[in-house]
């Protein structure tokens, strides 16, 4: 007698399917990765298999202990517009920032509103919302030192997107583009996020 063991990711995508003799063990695939999370194991024991199994990858969020700008992970349906927050955590004090966005070209960036965390800074909208555009904040003497949302983005998900498709969204900056009130460089970790079609 044989049984089928199917290993799936958090979003239901099949990672590996294996046919196993009764009482034998399945072999797990290479540990999957998920932006912003650490893989911590599988939710079901797959040794001594006595039935068909679906084994799902388990994750825990990465603990953010350093000054970080990160993009939240959200889900959306095909054809839907969805909001994605860009957050700052462990804010060391920022008087100015220039960050560039990079996202899956299947997405359409519809709007970008400034969040409350950088509300004390002057915000300059990009001339055009597009992949690679820059978001700019500066100030003569103000400094943000609170955690929270710095941008609230709205993306349109393609109407023909398949369930389980993951669209990545990330930000980057160059040395000197983020600084404090004394015009000293501020270094932040940047963690990408994603939109997963459900």
């Amino acid at each position: 007698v044989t049984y089928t063991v199917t290993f799936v990711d958090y979003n239901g995508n099949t990672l590996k399917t294996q046919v196993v003799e009764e009482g034998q063990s399945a072999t797990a695939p290479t540990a999957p990765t998920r932006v912003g999370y650490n893989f911590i194991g599988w939710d079901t024991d797959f040794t001594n298999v006595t039935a068909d199994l679906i084994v799902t990858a388990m994750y825990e969020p990465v603990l953010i202990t350093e000054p970080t700008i990160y993009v939240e992970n959200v889900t959306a349906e095909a054809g839907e517009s969805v909001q994605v927050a860009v957050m700052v955590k462990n804010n060391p004090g920022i008087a100015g920032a220039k960050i560039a966005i990079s996202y899956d070209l299947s997405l359409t960036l519809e709007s970008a509103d400034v969040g409350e965390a950088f509300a004390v800074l002057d915000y300059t909208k990009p001339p055009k919302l597009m992949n690679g555009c820059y978001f700019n904040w500066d100030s003569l003497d103000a400094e943000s030192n609170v955690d929270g949302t710095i941008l609230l983005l709205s993306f349109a998900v393609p109407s023909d997107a398949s369930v389980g498709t993951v669209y990545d969204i990330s930000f980057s900056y160059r040395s000197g583009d983020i600084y404090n009130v004394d015009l000293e460089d501020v270094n932040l970790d940047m963690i990408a996020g994603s939109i997963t079609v459900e």
Side-chain angles (χ1 to χ4, degrees):
V1 178
T2 60
Y3 297 104
T4 301
V5 179
T6 304
F7 291 88
V8 298
D9 209 349
Y10 70 98
N11 56 8
N13 283 352
T14 300
L15 299 169
K16 177 183 178 182
T17 301
Q18 183 179 2
V19 176
V20 179
E21 295 280 336
E22 183 171 24
Q24 296 299 307
S25 298
T27 305
T30 302
T33 58
R34 180 179 178 191
V35 173
Y37 291 84
N38 291 321
F39 173 75
I40 58 170
W42 304 98
D43 73 339
T44 305
D45 180 33
F46 47 90
T47 60
N48 189 25
V49 175
T50 58
D52 290 340
L53 294 177
I54 295 177
V55 183
T56 304
M58 296 186 303
Y59 299 86
E60 63 184 8
V62 172
L63 293 176
I64 298 174
T65 57
E66 298 298 319
T68 303
I69 290 176
Y70 67 96
V71 181
E72 72 173 343
N73 295 296
V74 301
T75 58
E77 294 182 9
E80 184 177 51
S81 286
V82 63
Q83 288 198 320
V84 178
V86 182
M87 315 284 286
V88 63
K89 183 149 185 186
N90 303 315
N91 187 340
I94 295 171
K98 178 181 179 183
I99 59 174
I101 189 171
S102 177
Y103 55 88
D104 191 292
L105 294 176
S106 300
L107 297 172
T108 302
L109 180 55
E110 297 177 316
S111 67
D113 297 313
V114 69
E116 79 284 348
F118 281 6
V120 299
L121 306 177
D122 297 321
Y123 173 60
T124 305
K125 289 183 177 182
K128 185 175 181 189
L129 291 176
M130 56 186 271
N131 204 24
C133 71
Y134 286 94
F135 297 90
N136 291 280
W137 296 265
D138 59 24
S139 170
L140 291 175
D141 55 8
E143 185 173 71
S144 164
N145 55 14
V146 297
D147 290 352
T149 303
I150 63 170
L151 280 172
L152 197 55
L153 308 174
S154 180
F155 286 95
V157 177
S159 57
D160 60 352
S162 302
V163 171
T165 301
V166 178
Y167 298 110
D168 292 327
I169 304 162
S170 62
F171 282 87
S172 60
Y173 70 97
R174 294 185 298 242
S175 178
D177 281 352
I178 302 178
Y179 52 89
N180 64 21
V181 74
D182 297 321
L183 302 181
E184 298 166 334
D185 280 5
V186 173
N187 293 311
L188 289 101
D189 291 340
M190 305 294 266
I191 299 177
S194 62
I195 299 170
T196 302
V197 181
E198 58 181 7

